C-alpha cells in the first residue's frame, strides 16, 4: 500500500499571509490530485497534476508536482478566510495509468485563516 | 446536474447492531467508490465498482462489511455487526470511468457513531 504524508497537519494563519502545504511519498504516482473538504461535505477536486515538474495555477493557488512524481506542494498566496478547510492530496497508483482510478489519500492539512 | 446523493446523513447505533448506507451516483457515471474517513484522517477506499462489478475491495473488512451495486446504478454499504472503531464518515463518490485522471465527485457522506 502506497502512503502519502502531508505536512503540516494543522495551519492557523492570518488573512493575507502565504502558506505552503506539502505532500510526500516514497512511491511514484501516475498523477496526483488536490482536494478541499469543508465540514459536513465531501471533498471537492481542485486540480490534477500529471507530468513530473508540472506547475498549475488556480487564481491564488499554485500546485507543483515533483520531478520524480513522488511529491507535490500547494502554495496559497494572500490567504483569505474563505480558504479555510481541510486540504487533501491524493495519488493515483502505478506509473502507466493502469491503476483503475484508485486513489490513496494523505491524512489532510486543516487550514484556518483568521480575518 | 444533480450531485452524488447519500442517505442517511447521520446514524447513531450501538455496537453489534447493523446499519446500511445508500448512495445514488451522478447519472451516467460507471464507477462508484465507497470510502471510510475517520476523524483526523484522509478517506480510505473500501470498495470500488465498475458498473455492477467489483474492481477493488482489498481494504474492505469482509467479515463485517458488504456492499452491492446490483443494477450498476445506486449502491448500498452494510456493516453487520458494527464495532466502536467503525465510527467514521462514509463517503460515496462516482466518476465517469476508470481512468486515473477522471475526477471523482463525492457525496456529503454519512456520519456513523457507534456507541
Amino acid at each position: 500500500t502506497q502512503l502519502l504524508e502531508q505536512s503540516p497537519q494543522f495551519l492557523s494563519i492570518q488573512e493575507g499571509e502565504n502558506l505552503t502545504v506539502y505532500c510526500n511519498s516514497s512511491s511514484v504516482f501516475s498523477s496526483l490530485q488536490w482536494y478541499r473538504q469543508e465540514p459536513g461535505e465531501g471533498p471537492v477536486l481542485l486540480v490534477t497534476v500529471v507530468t513530473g515538474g508540472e506547475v498549475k495555477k488556480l487564481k491564488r493557488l499554485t500546485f507543483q508536482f515533483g520531478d520524480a512524481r513522488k511529491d507535490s506542494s500547494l502554495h496559497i498566496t494572500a490567504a483569505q478566510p474563505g480558504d479555510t478547510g481541510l486540504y487533501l492530496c491524493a495519488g493515483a497508483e502505478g506509473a502507466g495509468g493502469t491503476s483503475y482510478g484508485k486513489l490513496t489519500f494523505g491524512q489532510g492539512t486543516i487550514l484556518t485563516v483568521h480575518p | 446536474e444533480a450531485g452524488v446523493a447519500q442517505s442517511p446523513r447521520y446514524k447513531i447505533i450501538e455496537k453489534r447492531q447493523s446499519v446500511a448506507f445508500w448512495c445514488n451516483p451522478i447519472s451516467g457515471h460507471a464507477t462508484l467508490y465507497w470510502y471510510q474517513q475517520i476523524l483526523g484522517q484522509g478517506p480510505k477506499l473500501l470498495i470500488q465498482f465498475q458498473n455492477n462489478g467489483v474492481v477493488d475491495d482489498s481494504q474492505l473488512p469482509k467479515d463485517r462489511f458488504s456492499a452491492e451495486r446490483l443494477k450498476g446504478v445506486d449502491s448500498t454499504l452494510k456493516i453487520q455487526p458494527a464495532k466502536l472503531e467503525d465510527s467514521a464518515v462514509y463517503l460515496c463518490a462516482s466518476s465517469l470511468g476508470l481512468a486515473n485522471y477522471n475526477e471523482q465527485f463525492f457525496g456529503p457522506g454519512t456520519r456513523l457513531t457507534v456507541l
Side-chain angles (χ1 to χ4, degrees):
Chain A
T1 303
Q2 296 174 299
L3 295 176
L4 276 170
E5 293 194 6
Q6 282 187 241
S7 63
Q9 198 170 350
F10 301 95
L11 201 51
S12 179
I13 62 172
Q14 294 297 126
E15 182 176 1
E17 293 184 1
N18 302 332
L19 66 110
T20 302
V21 177
Y22 299 93
C23 178
N24 295 292
S25 175
S26 58
S27 304
V28 175
F29 290 97
S30 61
S31 65
L32 197 135
Q33 299 179 338
W34 284 91
Y35 288 81
R36 179 167 168 263
Q37 184 176 21
E38 297 194 42
E41 298 181 11
V44 176
L45 180 67
L46 295 173
V47 76
T48 301
V49 285
V50 176
T51 305
E54 181 177 4
V55 177
K56 280 192 174 179
K57 291 190 176 183
L58 185 67
K59 297 184 179 178
R60 294 177 294 101
L61 278 61
T62 302
F63 305 86
Q64 186 164 4
F65 201 12
D67 291 339
R69 303 207 313 277
K70 293 182 178 181
D71 57 271
S72 181
S73 63
L74 157 60
H75 182 79
I76 301 179
T77 303
Q80 299 177 0
D83 296 327
T84 294
L86 174 67
Y87 288 81
L88 295 158
C89 64
E93 300 178 11
T98 58
S99 61
Y100 306 107
K102 178 178 179 179
L103 292 177
T104 299
F105 281 84
Q107 78 272 34
T109 294
I110 298 174
L111 171 65
T112 304
V113 182
H114 301 279
Chain B
E1 177 182 273
V4 176
Q6 289 188 248
S7 68
R9 290 296 311 274
Y10 305 92
K11 190 73 177 180
I12 300 174
I13 62 173
E14 295 189 348
K15 60 182 179 183
R16 290 188 289 273
Q17 286 188 323
S18 302
V19 65
F21 313 127
W22 175 81
C23 171
N24 190 28
I26 293 173
S27 177
H29 280 194
T31 311
L32 185 146
Y33 312 78
W34 282 103
Y35 290 88
Q36 180 192 59
Q37 186 174 25
I38 293 173
L39 186 65
Q41 299 181 18
K44 182 183 83 171
L45 179 69
L46 293 176
I47 189 167
Q48 177 182 347
F49 291 95
Q50 176 68 2
N51 296 313
N52 61 350
V54 175
V55 175
D56 189 328
D57 62 358
S58 57
Q59 298 191 93
L60 186 74
K62 298 180 186 63
D63 58 333
R64 299 184 300 106
F65 286 65
S66 64
E68 59 183 15
R69 193 186 184 200
L70 292 176
K71 296 182 179 179
V73 181
D74 56 353
S75 175
T76 56
L77 175 69
K78 297 179 181 178
I79 307 175
Q80 181 179 10
K83 293 185 176 181
L84 295 176
E85 58 261 35
D86 298 332
S87 293
V89 174
Y90 290 85
L91 294 165
C92 178
S94 69
S95 65
L96 281 171
L98 290 172
N100 280 344
Y101 320 131
N102 280 338
E103 179 177 358
Q104 293 187 22
F105 294 84
F106 285 81
T110 296
R111 181 176 296 278
L112 172 67
T113 302
V114 183
L115 303 175

